[in-house]
Amino acid sequence: MRDTIYCVFSVLTTLVLAVVSLRYVKDFYLLSFFYSFQVHLAVAAAAASIAAFLVKRHWYALLTLGVSVVLAAHGVVMMREFVEPAVEENRPALFKLMSFNIENDNFANGPAIADMAIASGADVINILEAEPLLSELPRLLKTYPYYIGCGVGMQECDTLVLSKRPLIEPRIRNLGLLWRNRLTISTIDFDGQKVNFLAAHLTKPYYDEFHGLEIEDLAEIIPTLPGPLVLAGDFNTSILAPDVQYLMRSQGLGTVSLEPATWPIAAGAFGIPIDHIFSNAPLRLKSVSRIKDGFGSNHFGLMAEFAVDP
């Protein structure tokens, strides 16, 4: 019986470690969902290895434990690779941004989400899967008179960008080949400092190779926008995904020390950050926090403050 239990633990641990380790050989899109959980899976594999060793003292359990620790540690290293230096607390924020995928069938919570947005104090708001806010637009526009999406620039109501300040040359682009009009691009002038805003909604990473193609499109678009830049939205994958890592490195994007987990809602702080807010120099993130209430969405929203280096 002891040998059987040990064998089960060892086989399951080996399979998990093999799946996670394949990222170092090739970025298989069918496994990309698991790459986002590298740290979670490695910690689980380490626990299983310890359990197997307690059942039966065998060298293989120590081997899988060692591999698990290495994968977990490297996952943490990769998450911290793009962390920007902390901004001094006394430095005033240039602007505040909210980004939130509210889920397109979440109509019951549309009014509450609109109330929260109006009271948030954000200068710019990105709403993804924004259909539940379509009926709330008239009162949202009293606080945020400038917007794109939901009938302006596109008929769909997937991506909605609201601003207290004029949007300079707002436009909408397709990302990849699967969905239309899932990227908005605009520029906002904050008292002489112009900032480019990209609000993106990427497809799920295991839908063939579409996610990688969308990342490639972003990597082509970002260099055409000179000056400070914000890229925010629902990436449907964490910063550990190989294609997101490529985007961050190639475009010089940065993030905060610990991105808040935004999915799944039930996991709370133990979930993974698949909704992101990135910036490039000289724009820096002063803070990013999770909106405490999910308002019926399957994602948590994010609130961020930005500062600009002299």
Side-chain angles (χ1 to χ4, degrees):
M1 183 64 178
R2 177 174 294 185
D3 288 344
T4 301
I5 295 175
Y6 174 83
C7 184
V8 170
F9 272 123
S10 297
V11 169
L12 292 177
T13 303
T14 302
L15 289 174
V16 168
L17 295 177
V19 167
V20 174
S21 299
L22 279 173
R23 64 167 299 145
Y24 299 101
V25 180
K26 182 174 175 58
D27 181 10
F28 293 101
Y29 71 86
L30 288 174
L31 300 178
S32 56
F33 176 80
F34 299 101
Y35 298 156
S36 290
F37 284 93
Q38 175 165 334
V39 174
H40 295 68
L41 292 174
V43 169
S49 298
I50 293 172
F53 187 75
L54 293 176
V55 171
K56 181 181 179 180
R57 305 295 195 270
H58 193 275
W59 65 267
Y60 189 74
L62 296 176
L63 175 63
T64 56
L65 176 60
V67 174
S68 301
V69 170
V70 169
L71 289 175
H74 189 235
V76 172
V77 169
M78 287 191 291
M79 286 191 293
R80 297 194 58 82
E81 178 181 349
F82 309 105
V83 172
E84 299 173 331
V87 177
E88 298 82 359
E89 285 291 331
N90 59 357
R91 185 187 298 186
L94 179 65
F95 63 90
K96 191 175 182 181
L97 168 72
M98 184 175 82
S99 184
F100 194 3
N101 182 333
I102 65 173
E103 196 173 5
N104 56 14
D105 59 355
N106 190 18
F107 291 98
N109 291 285
I113 294 170
D115 290 339
M116 181 271 294
I118 292 169
S120 68
D123 299 283
V124 187
I125 295 178
N126 298 337
I127 300 291
L128 305 173
E129 300 190 24
E131 189 76 28
L133 288 188
L134 185 58
S135 62
E136 304 297 323
L137 264 180
R139 65 191 187 96
L140 282 166
L141 294 179
K142 294 178 181 178
T143 303
Y144 298 94
Y146 307 99
Y147 78 104
I148 184 170
C150 292
V152 174
M154 66 169 113
Q155 292 303 313
E156 303 93 332
C157 200
D158 180 87
T159 305
L160 173 65
V161 177
L162 300 158
S163 174
K164 292 180 177 178
R165 298 174 183 245
L167 300 174
I168 303 171
E169 297 182 357
R171 52 205 183 276
I172 295 173
R173 291 278 303 266
N174 296 335
L175 279 179
L177 303 172
L178 186 59
W179 304 109
R180 290 176 50 81
N181 300 330
R182 281 198 162 188
L183 175 69
T184 67
I185 306 171
S186 55
T187 304
I188 300 176
D189 191 322
F190 293 97
D191 302 324
Q193 177 64 68
K194 291 184 177 180
V195 178
N196 298 304
F197 284 85
L198 279 73
H201 189 185
L202 279 67
T203 192
K204 292 177 175 57
Y206 44 83
Y207 282 8
D208 209 313
E209 297 182 352
F210 292 112
H211 193 275
L213 295 174
E214 292 167 351
I215 291 291
E216 290 178 7
D217 283 351
L218 286 172
E220 291 179 1
I221 292 168
I222 289 173
T224 67
L225 303 171
L229 177 142
V230 176
L231 171 60
D234 177 8
F235 281 60
N236 272 305
T237 190
S238 82
I239 202 171
L240 290 174
D243 55 359
V244 178
Q245 294 254 312
Y246 157 75
L247 179 69
M248 301 291 286
R249 292 192 187 101
S250 65
Q251 304 307 314
L253 299 175
T255 184
V256 289
S257 59
L258 181 63
E259 287 190 289
T262 60
W263 180 91
I265 287 282
F270 296 99
I272 60 172
I274 65 172
D275 302 88
H276 304 284
I277 298 178
F278 302 138
S279 65
N280 67 358
L283 191 66
R284 289 170 58 192
L285 280 156
K286 185 177 180 182
S287 66
V288 177
S289 59
R290 189 175 69 183
I291 297 172
K292 294 181 180 179
D293 195 332
F295 291 94
S297 174
N298 58 351
H299 294 242
F300 283 109
L302 297 173
M303 195 76 70
E305 289 184 321
F306 294 83
V308 174
D309 283 333

